[in-house]
Amino acid sequence: MRTKIFATDTNDFTTLILRVTLAVVIFPHGLQKLLGAFGGYGFEGTMSYFTDTVGLPWILGFIVIIIESFGMLLLAVGLFTRPISLILAVIMLGAASMHLQNGFFMNWFNNQPAEGVEFFILTIALSLNGLIKGAGKYSVDATFLRRNNAPNTFAPNT
């Protein structure tokens, strides 16, 4: 099981690019939620919004904040890529479902009540790449497997 979670193609440069790009894009959103950076509401404000306004159980709000902040740091270095990618994809599915009524497009020109779903679709696709292919080149996942003498190339049938 551990081998399947950490398995990756250590020569896959494209997956590295997608993994780091996803982490770099989502991390500031996590900092908004965790610390109030970039005009965010911080931990208390975000938790209040998630639990009081949206109606999420506190544990789900907490998971969103942790994955979008600390999880993206782990994703950037390629540690626990598959589990983090799966959780992030589920988070983005939930976010997309909350934004369906706003249509497809982002709210670039402030002419709709909130953002559409296009950002969430892209994020889900990038997350699915990490879930399916693993971390790729220059990842802690691959290093972990090498140190444990496990195969470090992705093999779907193993």
Side-chain angles (χ1 to χ4, degrees):
M1 168 101 160
R2 183 175 67 201
T3 301
K4 288 183 180 182
I5 290 174
F6 293 107
T8 189
D9 180 354
T10 57
N11 295 315
D12 191 345
F13 194 70
T14 303
T15 298
L16 163 70
I17 293 169
L18 296 177
R19 169 177 50 91
V20 172
T21 300
L22 179 60
V24 167
V25 168
I26 299 300
F27 184 63
H29 294 274
L31 291 180
Q32 287 179 316
K33 293 172 179 74
L34 182 67
L35 303 175
F38 310 110
Y41 296 108
F43 185 82
E44 286 185 33
T46 303
M47 284 298 286
S48 176
Y49 172 75
F50 283 155
T51 57
D52 299 339
T53 304
V54 178
L56 286 178
W58 74 269
I59 189 67
L60 292 181
F62 182 76
I63 289 169
V64 168
I65 294 169
I66 295 305
I67 291 298
E68 288 189 12
S69 54
F70 297 111
M72 292 307 101
L73 294 175
L74 294 176
L75 191 65
V77 298
L79 180 59
F80 301 117
T81 301
R82 282 192 168 88
I84 290 170
S85 295
L86 174 62
I87 296 167
L88 184 61
V90 171
I91 288 169
M92 292 300 141
L93 277 171
S97 71
M98 293 172 49
H99 288 260
L100 278 173
Q101 70 274 8
N102 301 321
F104 180 77
F105 295 103
M106 294 179 68
N107 195 14
W108 289 101
F109 303 108
N110 244 0
N111 57 3
Q112 54 195 55
E115 301 296 338
V117 296
E118 68 178 319
F119 174 80
F120 305 111
I121 292 170
L122 288 170
T123 304
I124 291 165
L126 291 172
S127 296
L128 290 176
N129 181 75
L131 177 64
I132 294 166
K133 296 191 75 171
K137 195 172 187 73
Y138 304 122
S139 66
V140 177
D141 287 350
T143 303
F144 177 76
L145 284 176
R146 257 193 313 274
R147 286 187 181 163
N148 289 297
N149 296 322
N152 63 0
T153 57
F154 177 67
N157 297 327
T158 59

